[in-house]
Amino acid sequence: MLPEAAARRIRLTLQYDGTGFRGWQRQPGCRTVQSELESVLARLLESTARTAAAGRTDRGVHATGQVVSLDVPAKWSAVELARALNALLPADIRVADAVAAEPDFHARFSAVARSYSYRIGTTGTALSPFRRRWCWPLARPLPEAVLDEAAQHFVGGHSFAAFAKAGQPERGDECMVHRSEWRVPNRHGIVYVVVANRFLHHMVRYMVGTMVDAALGVRPAGDIVALLAGAPGLVMSRPAPPEGLFLTRVYYPGDSLDEDVTDETVP
Amino acid sequence: MLPEAAARRIRLTLQYDGTGFRGWQRQPGCRTVQSELESVLARLLESTARTAAAGRTDRGVHATGQVVSLDVPAKWSAVELARALNALLPADIRVADAVAAEPDFHARFSAVARSYSYRIGTTGTALSPFRRRWCWPLARPLPEAVLDEAAQHFVGGHSFAAFAKAGQPERGDECMVHRSEWRVPNRHGIVYVVVANRFLHHMVRYMVGTMVDAALGVRPAGDIVALLAGAPGLVMSRPAPPEGLFLTRVYYPGDSLDEDVTDETVP
């Protein structure tokens, strides 16, 4: 770590196409967003820079508003750092914004909420070649009323144990969902938008998988309420595939959770 | 060719991401849109199907509204053909529409006008990873007023010899431009939209290259009028790169050329 006087904490907003990455987190022998970023930072800063991300996105998951904190020597301004990073990073990662942050700012621990979007292409095999990479291509019709009602059940504070990959018991499974709704942005598909204080492992993908099963009539819509209530004997739905999922925004103290999350970044 | 009674003429609307193709036209040993389409048709129809396209797009050029005509055995309906094609075509080509056409319909010779769009990403190296494939990433600011005025000069009937690759003298170089304008659809970039009865080889790319040179101050804006007037001694600008160019629509008798060409198909 740098001595305090010589360091500047920076907050980066990153966008990445998750297709070519094994997720955010550095892993030996894998191409990950963190390893690409830290390897470019090492070249620029001539020292090791440790980065922290608000959301450790999984393999194949995208981001339009990932937030990353790191320390750089004070001779680097945020603007100069962003310019240098964008010149050197591979084209599937981009720094959309960079600002100087308070010394105690931490991308993950300072965050009070996160927003994810999940995109479903509803035109099946006729899906536009310009959109196919970033959605779950579902050829079957999904009744909007079922999806809308299902999404409403998630709003509020619940245990999401039935909507998460097992194995994170240390922090509990309570989440507070502020927003949960389906949108129809264009004729290519539909988008699920969810804002919550925290998300368990694969949680959005399990939520979407369950809502889609209800919309397809594979399981009763009432199962969502039962699963949230911890009813025994119910089987989890399969999680929706990662390529439809985007981390779109991270909220910090002072940010309004009611502000609409419109996103024209992705097709 | 099929005997007339057994054949049905079909009009397909195709979308393709031109990145992976050496253009529309069949060429030995190259991956082209026509060769991919005709090879799938040969499997489906168990005979050779000859396709004709409205615009023979070049290597790297995209299409959201390419029109193709072909004959199929009458047992194939247009809807069934589209479904079968979309199931077998590679994901970078999609049939957006298929209808039965009059027996004398020809995608190229029946067309009365075509529309192209040219996309420029104006955010430079900070270009979104979700948009980078389909635009010309220009990092420098382009004054809108210069672009708008330049675009207006193209409207009407002119010789476009100074805006085309040499070597097509047999059909003349007169074109009638119905629409020529720049738009700002979002914060990621700008789009040039042009509608004309015909286009010479590389014509849109030369037009865009010249307008951008004028906007950058590399050459006087007045050069466009001079080039259209055939003034001697003027050097052509370099054509804009193919990855920003899209064939967006083909017009046939009865279609209104004044109808707006909005396009949400591409990011």
Side-chain angles (χ1 to χ4, degrees):
Chain A
M1 288 287 101
L2 295 159
E4 196 169 321
R8 169 175 285 156
R9 187 145 302 183
I10 299 282
R11 167 178 164 175
L12 300 176
T13 305
L14 288 193
Q15 303 185 327
Y16 45 86
D17 174 353
T19 312
F21 296 105
R22 204 161 175 128
W24 159 262
Q25 195 155 352
R26 178 184 280 282
Q27 290 179 63
C30 293
R31 184 172 190 258
T32 71
V33 181
Q34 188 177 30
S35 59
E36 290 288 329
L37 178 63
E38 291 187 352
S39 116
V40 170
L41 284 166
R43 283 169 62 191
L44 285 176
L45 308 178
E46 291 172 2
S47 65
T48 305
R50 287 289 165 213
T51 58
R56 285 170 296 184
T57 53
D58 288 322
R59 178 183 189 161
V61 174
H62 320 288
T64 58
Q66 171 74 284
V67 176
V68 170
S69 54
L70 75 159
D71 286 332
V72 297
K75 65 179 176 180
W76 281 90
S77 75
V79 169
E80 287 163 341
L81 183 70
R83 196 174 297 145
L85 284 172
N86 277 338
L88 296 175
L89 281 169
D92 47 359
I93 310 178
R94 277 296 167 263
V95 177
D97 192 39
V99 292
E102 293 300 311
D104 62 349
F105 174 79
H106 187 281
R108 183 169 168 217
F109 300 126
S110 305
V112 295
R114 288 127 178 114
S115 175
Y116 282 89
S117 291
Y118 193 96
R119 290 169 184 264
I120 296 180
T122 48
T123 51
T125 56
L127 193 67
S128 157
F130 304 100
R131 295 168 184 271
R132 66 190 165 93
R133 295 170 198 272
W134 308 304
C135 70
W136 179 14
L138 262 183
R140 298 161 68 185
L142 300 170
E144 277 177 47
V146 180
L147 290 177
D148 290 343
E149 195 193 324
Q152 277 314 300
H153 291 310
F154 289 119
V155 175
H158 307 280
S159 160
F160 279 82
F163 298 92
K165 201 171 161 182
Q168 309 165 294
E170 70 283 358
R171 292 185 59 222
D173 46 38
E174 289 285 325
C175 304
M176 173 61 71
V177 173
H178 300 280
R179 184 192 290 268
S180 166
E181 63 193 34
W182 287 91
R183 299 182 185 177
V184 186
N186 53 50
R187 63 190 164 81
H188 302 283
I190 57 178
V191 178
Y192 175 62
V193 173
V194 58
V195 180
N197 65 330
R198 59 190 286 247
F199 289 87
L200 309 181
H201 202 189
H202 292 189
M203 177 168 140
V204 184
R205 293 171 52 196
Y206 276 109
M207 292 163 78
V208 170
T210 310
M211 287 188 281
V212 166
D213 274 357
L216 292 174
V218 172
R219 65 186 309 163
D223 273 10
I224 289 173
V225 178
L227 284 162
L228 285 171
L234 283 179
V235 178
M236 291 166 78
S237 287
R238 287 173 57 180
E243 57 266 31
L245 185 60
F246 294 76
L247 171 57
T248 53
R249 179 147 181 210
V250 187
Y251 299 82
Y252 294 97
D255 294 343
S256 165
L257 296 184
D258 296 326
E259 201 181 303
D260 195 25
V261 195
T262 54
D263 183 15
E264 53 150 51
T265 308
V266 183
Chain B
M1 290 283 103
L2 296 158
E4 197 170 321
R8 169 174 285 156
R9 187 145 301 181
I10 300 282
R11 167 178 163 174
L12 300 176
T13 305
L14 287 195
Q15 303 186 327
Y16 45 85
D17 175 354
T19 312
F21 296 104
R22 203 158 175 131
W24 159 261
Q25 194 154 353
R26 177 185 280 283
Q27 290 179 62
C30 294
R31 184 174 190 257
T32 72
V33 180
Q34 187 177 30
S35 58
E36 291 287 329
L37 178 64
E38 291 188 351
S39 119
V40 170
L41 284 166
R43 283 169 63 192
L44 287 175
L45 307 179
E46 292 172 2
S47 65
T48 306
R50 288 288 165 214
T51 59
R56 285 170 295 182
T57 53
D58 289 322
R59 178 182 189 161
V61 174
H62 321 289
T64 58
Q66 172 74 284
V67 176
V68 170
S69 54
L70 75 159
D71 286 332
V72 297
K75 66 179 176 182
W76 282 89
S77 75
V79 169
E80 288 163 341
L81 183 70
R83 196 175 296 143
L85 284 172
N86 278 337
L88 296 176
L89 281 169
D92 46 1
I93 311 178
R94 277 297 168 261
V95 177
D97 191 39
V99 292
E102 294 300 312
D104 61 349
F105 174 79
H106 187 282
R108 183 167 167 221
F109 300 125
S110 304
V112 295
R114 287 127 178 114
S115 175
Y116 282 87
S117 291
Y118 193 96
R119 290 168 183 265
I120 295 180
T122 48
T123 52
T125 56
L127 193 68
S128 157
F130 305 101
R131 293 168 186 271
R132 66 190 165 92
R133 294 171 199 272
W134 307 303
C135 70
W136 179 14
L138 260 183
R140 298 161 69 185
L142 299 171
E144 278 177 46
V146 179
L147 290 177
D148 289 344
E149 195 193 324
Q152 277 314 300
H153 291 309
F154 289 119
V155 175
H158 307 279
S159 160
F160 279 82
F163 298 92
K165 201 170 160 182
Q168 309 166 293
E170 69 284 356
R171 291 184 61 222
D173 46 39
E174 288 285 324
C175 303
M176 173 62 69
V177 173
H178 300 281
R179 185 193 289 268
S180 166
E181 61 193 37
W182 287 90
R183 298 182 184 176
V184 186
N186 54 50
R187 64 190 163 79
H188 301 282
I190 57 178
V191 179
Y192 175 62
V193 173
V194 57
V195 180
N197 65 329
R198 60 189 286 246
F199 289 88
L200 310 182
H201 202 192
H202 291 188
M203 178 168 139
V204 185
R205 291 171 54 197
Y206 276 108
M207 291 163 77
V208 170
T210 311
M211 287 188 282
V212 166
D213 274 356
L216 292 174
V218 172
R219 66 186 308 164
D223 272 10
I224 289 174
V225 178
L227 285 162
L228 285 171
L234 284 178
V235 179
M236 291 166 77
S237 287
R238 288 173 57 179
E243 56 266 32
L245 185 60
F246 293 75
L247 172 57
T248 53
R249 179 147 180 210
V250 187
Y251 299 82
Y252 294 97
D255 294 343
S256 165
L257 296 184
D258 295 326
E259 202 181 301
D260 195 24
V261 194
T262 54
D263 183 15
E264 53 150 51
T265 307
V266 183

